[in-house]
Amino acid sequence: KKFSAKDQKDLEILEKIKSGQINAYEYIYNRYYQFIQYHCFLSVKNHQISEDLANEILTKIYLNLDK
């Protein structure tokens, strides 16, 4: 599969995070938080719950990067 420049940058950032550069996670969080929160809101129709879900999803992604 051919990756776009944005996809390639995301992959590079994920590799940095996996190698211990935890501050690189901020890029992923900022890039995807609104997208994830918006889609959660479409499902639950509650801003607070959708924000909580977005945070939980991003946390789980971070905690499972090495798997």
Side-chain angles (χ1 to χ4, degrees):
K1 179 182 176 184
K2 193 159 184 135
F3 292 106
S4 71
K6 286 183 182 179
D7 292 336
Q8 190 62 40
K9 180 166 176 130
D10 288 351
L11 292 172
E12 291 169 8
I13 295 292
L14 291 174
E15 288 303 317
K16 286 181 181 182
I17 296 166
K18 288 166 75 172
S19 72
Q21 296 179 36
I22 295 174
N23 60 335
Y25 180 70
E26 185 177 356
Y27 168 83
I28 297 295
Y29 186 92
N30 290 334
R31 177 162 155 78
Y32 289 102
Y33 177 82
Q34 284 188 313
F35 175 82
I36 293 170
Q37 190 271 330
Y38 171 76
H39 287 280
C40 289
F41 180 78
L42 291 177
S43 294
V44 299
K45 307 289 192 258
N46 180 294
H47 285 288
Q48 184 61 49
I49 293 172
S50 64
E51 290 172 357
D52 291 345
L53 288 169
N55 280 317
E56 187 173 330
I57 289 166
L58 287 161
T59 299
K60 286 188 180 211
I61 289 169
Y62 174 77
L63 293 174
N64 288 287
L65 279 176
D66 59 349
K67 295 183 179 179

Coordinates of all heavy atoms in Angstrom, one line a residue:
K1 N 0.8 -1.2 0.0 CA 0.0 0.0 0.0 C 0.9 1.2 0.0 O 1.9 1.3 0.7 CB -0.9 0.0 1.2 CG -1.8 1.2 1.3 CD -2.7 1.2 2.5 CE -3.4 2.5 2.5 NZ -4.2 2.7 3.7
K2 N 0.5 2.2 -0.8 CA 1.2 3.5 -0.8 C 0.7 4.4 0.2 O -0.6 4.6 0.3 CB 1.1 4.1 -2.2 CG 2.1 5.2 -2.5 CD 2.3 5.3 -4.0 CE 3.3 6.4 -4.2 NZ 4.3 6.1 -5.2
F3 N 1.5 5.0 1.0 CA 1.1 6.0 2.0 C 1.3 7.4 1.6 O 2.2 7.7 0.9 CB 2.0 5.8 3.3 CG 1.7 4.5 4.0 CD1 2.6 3.4 3.9 CD2 0.5 4.2 4.7 CE1 2.4 2.2 4.5 CE2 0.3 3.0 5.3 CZ 1.2 2.0 5.2
S4 N 0.3 8.3 2.0 CA 0.5 9.7 1.7 C 1.6 10.3 2.6 O 2.0 9.6 3.5 CB -0.9 10.4 2.0 OG -1.1 10.5 3.4
A5 N 1.9 11.5 2.3 CA 2.9 12.2 3.2 C 2.5 12.3 4.6 O 3.3 12.1 5.5 CB 3.3 13.5 2.6
K6 N 1.2 12.5 4.8 CA 0.7 12.6 6.2 C 0.7 11.3 6.9 O 1.1 11.2 8.0 CB -0.8 13.2 6.2 CG -0.9 14.6 5.9 CD -2.3 15.1 5.9 CE -2.4 16.5 5.6 NZ -3.8 17.0 5.6
D7 N 0.3 10.2 6.1 CA 0.4 8.9 6.7 C 1.8 8.5 7.1 O 2.1 8.0 8.1 CB -0.1 7.9 5.7 CG -1.6 8.0 5.5 OD1 -2.3 8.5 6.3 OD2 -2.1 7.5 4.4
Q8 N 2.8 8.9 6.2 CA 4.2 8.6 6.5 C 4.7 9.3 7.7 O 5.4 8.7 8.5 CB 5.0 8.9 5.2 CG 6.4 8.4 5.3 CD 6.5 6.9 5.4 OE1 5.8 6.2 4.7 NE2 7.4 6.4 6.2
K9 N 4.3 10.6 7.8 CA 4.7 11.3 9.0 C 4.1 10.7 10.3 O 4.8 10.6 11.3 CB 4.2 12.8 8.9 CG 4.6 13.6 10.1 CD 4.5 15.1 9.9 CE 4.8 15.8 11.2 NZ 5.8 16.8 11.1
D10 N 2.8 10.3 10.2 CA 2.2 9.6 11.4 C 3.0 8.4 11.7 O 3.2 8.1 12.9 CB 0.8 9.2 11.1 CG -0.2 10.4 11.0 OD1 0.3 11.6 11.4 OD2 -1.3 10.3 10.6
L11 N 3.4 7.6 10.7 CA 4.1 6.4 11.0 C 5.5 6.7 11.7 O 5.9 6.0 12.6 CB 4.3 5.6 9.7 CG 3.1 4.9 9.1 CD1 3.4 4.4 7.7 CD2 2.5 3.9 10.0
E12 N 6.1 7.7 11.2 CA 7.4 8.2 11.8 C 7.2 8.6 13.2 O 8.0 8.3 14.1 CB 8.0 9.3 10.9 CG 8.5 8.9 9.6 CD 8.8 10.0 8.7 OE1 8.8 11.2 9.1 OE2 9.1 9.8 7.5
I13 N 6.1 9.4 13.5 CA 5.8 9.8 14.8 C 5.6 8.6 15.7 O 6.1 8.6 16.9 CB 4.6 10.8 14.8 CG1 5.0 12.1 14.1 CG2 4.2 11.1 16.3 CD1 6.0 13.0 14.7
L14 N 4.8 7.6 15.3 CA 4.5 6.5 16.1 C 5.8 5.7 16.4 O 6.0 5.2 17.5 CB 3.5 5.5 15.3 CG 2.1 6.1 15.2 CD1 1.3 5.2 14.4 CD2 1.5 6.3 16.6
E15 N 6.7 5.6 15.5 CA 8.0 5.0 15.7 C 8.8 5.8 16.8 O 9.4 5.2 17.6 CB 8.8 4.8 14.5 CG 8.3 3.8 13.5 CD 8.2 2.4 14.2 OE1 9.1 2.0 14.9 OE2 7.1 1.7 14.0
K16 N 8.7 7.1 16.7 CA 9.4 7.9 17.8 C 8.8 7.6 19.1 O 9.5 7.5 20.1 CB 9.3 9.4 17.4 CG 10.2 9.8 16.3 CD 10.0 11.3 16.0 CE 10.9 11.7 14.9 NZ 10.8 13.2 14.6
I17 N 7.5 7.6 19.2 CA 6.8 7.3 20.5 C 7.3 5.9 21.0 O 7.6 5.8 22.2 CB 5.3 7.4 20.3 CG1 4.9 8.8 20.0 CG2 4.6 6.9 21.6 CD1 3.4 8.9 19.5
K18 N 7.2 4.9 20.1 CA 7.6 3.6 20.5 C 9.1 3.5 21.0 O 9.4 2.6 21.8 CB 7.4 2.6 19.4 CG 5.9 2.4 19.1 CD 5.6 1.7 17.8 CE 5.9 0.3 17.7 NZ 5.5 -0.4 16.5
S19 N 9.9 4.4 20.5 CA 11.3 4.4 20.9 C 11.6 5.2 22.1 O 12.7 5.3 22.6 CB 12.2 4.9 19.8 OG 12.1 6.2 19.6
G20 N 10.5 5.7 22.7 CA 10.6 6.4 24.0 C 10.5 7.9 24.0 O 10.5 8.6 25.0
Q21 N 10.3 8.5 22.8 CA 10.1 9.9 22.7 C 8.6 10.3 22.9 O 7.9 10.5 22.0 CB 10.5 10.4 21.3 CG 12.0 10.2 21.0 CD 12.4 10.7 19.7 OE1 11.9 11.7 19.2 NE2 13.3 10.0 19.0
I22 N 8.3 10.2 24.2 CA 6.9 10.4 24.6 C 6.3 11.7 24.2 O 5.1 11.8 23.9 CB 6.8 10.2 26.1 CG1 7.2 8.7 26.5 CG2 5.4 10.5 26.6 CD1 7.2 8.4 27.9
N23 N 7.1 12.8 24.1 CA 6.6 14.1 23.7 C 6.0 14.1 22.3 O 5.2 14.9 21.9 CB 7.6 15.2 23.9 CG 8.9 15.0 23.1 OD1 9.2 13.8 22.8 ND2 9.6 16.0 22.8
A24 N 6.4 13.1 21.5 CA 6.0 13.0 20.1 C 4.5 12.6 20.1 O 3.8 12.9 19.1 CB 6.8 12.0 19.3
Y25 N 4.0 12.0 21.2 CA 2.6 11.7 21.3 C 1.6 12.9 21.2 O 0.5 12.8 20.6 CB 2.3 10.9 22.6 CG 0.9 10.5 22.7 CD1 0.3 9.5 21.9 CD2 0.0 11.1 23.6 CE1 -1.0 9.1 22.0 CE2 -1.3 10.8 23.7 CZ -1.8 9.8 22.9 OH -3.1 9.4 23.0
E26 N 2.1 14.0 21.6 CA 1.3 15.3 21.5 C 0.9 15.5 20.1 O -0.2 16.0 19.8 CB 2.1 16.4 22.1 CG 1.3 17.7 22.1 CD 2.1 18.9 22.7 OE1 3.3 18.6 23.2 OE2 1.6 20.0 22.7
Y27 N 1.7 15.3 19.1 CA 1.4 15.4 17.7 C 0.2 14.6 17.3 O -0.7 15.0 16.7 CB 2.6 15.1 16.8 CG 2.3 15.0 15.3 CD1 2.2 16.2 14.6 CD2 2.0 13.8 14.8 CE1 1.8 16.1 13.2 CE2 1.6 13.7 13.4 CZ 1.6 14.8 12.7 OH 1.2 14.8 11.3
I28 N 0.3 13.3 17.7 CA -0.8 12.4 17.4 C -2.1 12.8 18.1 O -3.2 12.8 17.5 CB -0.5 10.9 17.8 CG1 0.8 10.4 17.0 CG2 -1.6 10.0 17.6 CD1 0.5 10.3 15.5
Y29 N -2.0 13.2 19.3 CA -3.2 13.6 20.1 C -3.8 14.8 19.4 O -5.0 14.8 19.2 CB -2.8 13.9 21.5 CG -3.9 14.3 22.4 CD1 -4.6 13.3 23.1 CD2 -4.4 15.6 22.5 CE1 -5.6 13.6 24.0 CE2 -5.5 15.9 23.3 CZ -6.1 14.9 24.0 OH -7.2 15.2 24.8
N30 N -3.0 15.8 19.1 CA -3.5 17.0 18.5 C -4.1 16.8 17.1 O -5.1 17.4 16.7 CB -2.5 18.1 18.4 CG -2.1 18.7 19.8 OD1 -2.9 18.6 20.7 ND2 -0.9 19.1 19.9
R31 N -3.5 15.9 16.4 CA -3.9 15.6 15.0 C -5.3 14.9 15.0 O -6.1 15.1 14.1 CB -2.9 14.8 14.3 CG -3.3 14.4 12.9 CD -2.0 14.0 12.1 NE -2.3 13.1 11.0 CZ -2.8 13.4 9.8 NH1 -3.1 14.7 9.6 NH2 -2.9 12.6 8.9
Y32 N -5.5 14.0 15.9 CA -6.7 13.1 15.9 C -7.8 13.4 16.9 O -8.9 12.8 16.7 CB -6.2 11.6 15.9 CG -5.5 11.2 14.7 CD1 -4.1 11.1 14.7 CD2 -6.2 10.9 13.5 CE1 -3.4 10.7 13.5 CE2 -5.5 10.5 12.4 CZ -4.2 10.5 12.4 OH -3.5 10.1 11.3
Y33 N -7.5 14.1 17.9 CA -8.5 14.3 19.0 C -9.8 14.8 18.4 O -10.9 14.2 18.7 CB -8.0 15.3 20.1 CG -9.1 15.5 21.1 CD1 -9.2 14.6 22.1 CD2 -9.9 16.6 21.1 CE1 -10.2 14.8 23.1 CE2 -10.9 16.8 22.0 CZ -11.1 15.9 23.0 OH -12.1 16.0 23.9
Q34 N -9.9 15.9 17.7 CA -11.1 16.4 17.2 C -11.9 15.4 16.3 O -13.1 15.3 16.4 CB -10.9 17.7 16.5 CG -10.7 18.9 17.4 CD -10.7 20.2 16.7 OE1 -10.0 20.3 15.7 NE2 -11.4 21.2 17.2
F35 N -11.2 14.8 15.5 CA -11.8 13.8 14.6 C -12.5 12.7 15.4 O -13.6 12.3 15.1 CB -10.7 13.2 13.7 CG -11.2 12.1 12.8 CD1 -11.8 12.4 11.6 CD2 -11.0 10.8 13.1 CE1 -12.3 11.3 10.8 CE2 -11.4 9.7 12.3 CZ -12.1 10.0 11.1
I36 N -11.7 12.1 16.4 CA -12.3 11.1 17.2 C -13.4 11.6 18.0 O -14.5 10.9 18.1 CB -11.2 10.4 18.1 CG1 -10.1 9.7 17.2 CG2 -11.7 9.5 19.1 CD1 -8.9 9.3 17.9
Q37 N -13.3 12.7 18.6 CA -14.3 13.3 19.5 C -15.6 13.5 18.7 O -16.7 13.3 19.1 CB -13.8 14.6 20.2 CG -14.7 15.1 21.2 CD -15.8 16.1 20.7 OE1 -15.6 16.8 19.7 NE2 -16.9 16.1 21.4
Y38 N -15.5 14.0 17.5 CA -16.6 14.3 16.6 C -17.4 13.0 16.3 O -18.6 13.0 16.4 CB -16.1 15.0 15.3 CG -17.2 15.1 14.3 CD1 -18.2 16.1 14.4 CD2 -17.2 14.2 13.2 CE1 -19.2 16.2 13.4 CE2 -18.2 14.3 12.2 CZ -19.2 15.3 12.3 OH -20.2 15.4 11.4
H39 N -16.6 12.0 16.0 CA -17.3 10.7 15.6 C -17.9 10.0 16.9 O -19.0 9.4 16.8 CB -16.3 9.8 14.9 CG -16.1 10.2 13.5 ND1 -17.0 10.0 12.5 CD2 -15.1 11.0 12.9 CE1 -16.6 10.5 11.4 NE2 -15.4 11.1 11.6
C40 N -17.3 10.2 18.0 CA -17.9 9.8 19.3 C -19.2 10.5 19.5 O -20.2 9.9 19.9 CB -16.9 9.9 20.4 SG -15.5 8.8 20.4
F41 N -19.2 11.8 19.3 CA -20.4 12.6 19.5 C -21.5 12.2 18.6 O -22.7 12.2 19.0 CB -20.1 14.1 19.3 CG -21.3 15.0 19.5 CD1 -21.7 15.3 20.8 CD2 -22.0 15.5 18.5 CE1 -22.8 16.0 21.0 CE2 -23.2 16.2 18.7 CZ -23.6 16.5 20.0
L42 N -21.2 11.9 17.4 CA -22.2 11.4 16.5 C -22.9 10.2 17.0 O -24.1 10.0 16.8 CB -21.7 11.1 15.1 CG -21.2 12.3 14.3 CD1 -20.5 11.8 13.0 CD2 -22.3 13.3 14.0
S43 N -22.2 9.4 17.8 CA -22.8 8.1 18.4 C -23.5 8.4 19.7 O -24.6 7.9 19.9 CB -21.7 7.1 18.6 OG -21.1 6.7 17.4
V44 N -23.0 9.2 20.5 CA -23.6 9.3 21.9 C -24.4 10.6 22.1 O -25.1 10.7 23.1 CB -22.5 9.2 23.0 CG1 -21.8 7.9 22.9 CG2 -21.5 10.3 22.9
K45 N -24.2 11.6 21.2 CA -24.9 12.9 21.3 C -24.8 13.6 22.6 O -25.7 14.2 23.1 CB -26.4 12.6 21.0 CG -26.8 11.9 19.8 CD -26.5 12.7 18.5 CE -27.1 12.1 17.3 NZ -26.2 11.4 16.5
N46 N -23.6 13.5 23.2 CA -23.3 14.2 24.5 C -21.8 14.6 24.4 O -20.9 13.8 24.3 CB -23.5 13.2 25.6 CG -23.3 13.8 27.0 OD1 -22.1 14.2 27.3 ND2 -24.3 14.0 27.8
H47 N -21.6 15.9 24.6 CA -20.2 16.5 24.4 C -19.3 15.9 25.5 O -18.2 15.5 25.2 CB -20.2 18.0 24.5 CG -20.7 18.6 23.2 ND1 -20.0 18.6 22.1 CD2 -21.9 19.2 22.9 CE1 -20.7 19.2 21.1 NE2 -21.9 19.6 21.6
Q48 N -19.7 15.9 26.7 CA -18.8 15.4 27.8 C -18.4 14.0 27.6 O -17.3 13.6 27.7 CB -19.5 15.6 29.2 CG -18.5 15.3 30.3 CD -17.3 16.1 30.4 OE1 -17.3 17.3 30.3 NE2 -16.1 15.4 30.5
I49 N -19.4 13.1 27.3 CA -19.2 11.7 27.1 C -18.3 11.5 25.9 O -17.3 10.7 25.9 CB -20.5 10.9 27.0 CG1 -21.2 10.9 28.3 CG2 -20.2 9.5 26.5 CD1 -22.6 10.3 28.2
S50 N -18.5 12.3 24.8 CA -17.7 12.1 23.6 C -16.2 12.6 23.9 O -15.3 12.0 23.3 CB -18.3 12.9 22.4 OG -18.3 14.3 22.6
E51 N -16.1 13.6 24.7 CA -14.7 14.0 25.1 C -14.0 12.9 25.9 O -12.8 12.6 25.7 CB -14.7 15.3 25.8 CG -15.1 16.5 25.0 CD -15.4 17.8 25.7 OE1 -15.3 17.8 27.0 OE2 -15.7 18.8 25.1
D52 N -14.7 12.4 26.8 CA -14.2 11.3 27.7 C -13.8 10.1 26.8 O -12.7 9.5 27.0 CB -15.2 10.9 28.7 CG -15.4 11.9 29.8 OD1 -14.6 12.9 29.9 OD2 -16.4 11.8 30.6
L53 N -14.7 9.7 25.9 CA -14.4 8.6 25.0 C -13.2 8.9 24.1 O -12.3 8.0 23.9 CB -15.6 8.3 24.1 CG -16.8 7.7 24.8 CD1 -18.0 7.7 23.9 CD2 -16.5 6.3 25.2
A54 N -13.1 10.1 23.6 CA -11.9 10.4 22.7 C -10.6 10.3 23.5 O -9.6 9.8 23.0 CB -12.1 11.8 22.2
N55 N -10.6 10.8 24.8 CA -9.4 10.7 25.6 C -9.1 9.2 25.9 O -8.0 8.8 25.9 CB -9.6 11.5 26.9 CG -9.4 12.9 26.7 OD1 -8.5 13.4 26.0 ND2 -10.3 13.8 27.3
E56 N -10.2 8.5 26.2 CA -9.9 7.0 26.5 C -9.4 6.3 25.3 O -8.4 5.5 25.4 CB -11.2 6.4 26.9 CG -11.1 5.0 27.4 CD -12.4 4.4 28.0 OE1 -13.2 5.2 28.5 OE2 -12.5 3.2 27.8
I57 N -9.9 6.6 24.1 CA -9.4 6.0 22.9 C -8.0 6.3 22.6 O -7.1 5.4 22.3 CB -10.3 6.4 21.7 CG1 -11.7 5.7 21.8 CG2 -9.6 6.0 20.3 CD1 -12.7 6.3 20.9
L58 N -7.6 7.6 22.7 CA -6.2 8.0 22.5 C -5.3 7.4 23.5 O -4.1 7.1 23.2 CB -6.1 9.5 22.4 CG -6.7 10.1 21.1 CD1 -7.1 11.5 21.2 CD2 -5.8 9.8 20.0
T59 N -5.7 7.3 24.8 CA -4.9 6.7 25.8 C -4.7 5.2 25.5 O -3.6 4.7 25.6 CB -5.6 6.9 27.2 OG1 -5.7 8.3 27.5 CG2 -4.8 6.2 28.3
K60 N -5.7 4.5 25.1 CA -5.6 3.1 24.8 C -4.6 2.9 23.6 O -3.8 2.0 23.6 CB -6.9 2.5 24.5 CG -7.7 2.3 25.8 CD -9.0 1.5 25.5 CE -9.7 1.3 26.9 NZ -10.4 0.1 27.0
I61 N -4.7 3.8 22.6 CA -3.8 3.7 21.5 C -2.3 3.8 22.0 O -1.5 3.1 21.6 CB -4.1 4.8 20.4 CG1 -5.4 4.5 19.7 CG2 -2.9 4.9 19.4 CD1 -5.9 5.6 18.9
Y62 N -2.1 4.8 22.8 CA -0.8 5.1 23.4 C -0.3 3.9 24.2 O 0.9 3.4 24.0 CB -0.8 6.3 24.3 CG 0.5 6.5 25.0 CD1 1.6 7.0 24.3 CD2 0.7 6.2 26.3 CE1 2.8 7.2 24.9 CE2 1.9 6.4 26.9 CZ 3.0 6.9 26.2 OH 4.2 7.0 26.8
L63 N -1.1 3.3 25.0 CA -0.7 2.2 25.9 C -0.5 0.9 25.1 O 0.2 0.0 25.6 CB -1.8 2.0 27.0 CG -1.9 3.1 28.0 CD1 -3.1 2.8 28.9 CD2 -0.6 3.3 28.8
N64 N -1.1 0.8 23.9 CA -0.9 -0.4 23.1 C 0.0 -0.3 21.9 O 0.0 -1.2 21.1 CB -2.3 -0.9 22.7 CG -3.1 -1.4 23.9 OD1 -2.8 -2.5 24.3 ND2 -4.1 -0.6 24.3
L65 N 0.7 0.8 21.8 CA 1.6 0.9 20.7 C 2.7 -0.2 20.5 O 3.1 -0.5 19.4 CB 2.4 2.3 20.8 CG 1.5 3.5 20.3 CD1 2.3 4.8 20.5 CD2 1.2 3.4 18.8
D66 N 3.1 -0.7 21.6 CA 4.2 -1.7 21.6 C 3.7 -3.1 21.3 O 4.4 -4.1 21.2 CB 5.0 -1.7 22.8 CG 4.2 -2.0 24.1 OD1 3.0 -2.0 24.0 OD2 4.8 -2.2 25.1
K67 N 2.4 -3.3 21.1 CA 1.8 -4.6 20.9 C 1.7 -4.9 19.4 O 1.7 -4.1 18.6 CB 0.4 -4.7 21.6 CG 0.6 -4.6 23.1 CD -0.7 -4.8 23.7 CE -0.5 -4.7 25.2 NZ -1.7 -4.9 26.0

